Amino acid sequence: GTQTGTAEQFSSEIVQKLTEQFDVDVEMTDLEVVAEDLDNAAYKFNQASLALVLTSTYGDGEPPDTAAAFFEWLKGQAEESEGMNE
């Protein structure tokens, strides 16, 4: 998620370093695209050995427009998890 492209640029640099230095498979996807298919996103997160989410914020830590739907979904997942632990 990014408003100005800074998070996207930083993510690209991280992908390049991980690929070159550690020879790992990395998938970089915009959170706006992820939010279009949240069932698939949940499956991919569960299958991944590591998921790294990089996004920018603005104001008082609000997600950028392109990450808002993903942020709300993720917040709901966290609340569901907390409810299961009570």
Side-chain angles (χ1 to χ4, degrees), residues 1-8 11 30-33 35 53-72:
T2 187
Q3 289 290 113
T4 62
T6 303
E8 185 177 7
S11 296
D30 191 299
L31 291 177
E32 189 171 35
V33 173
V53 178
L54 301 172
T55 187
S56 60
T57 62
Y58 70 94
D60 290 324
E62 290 91 5
D65 296 339
T66 58
F70 176 80
F71 174 74
E72 290 302 319

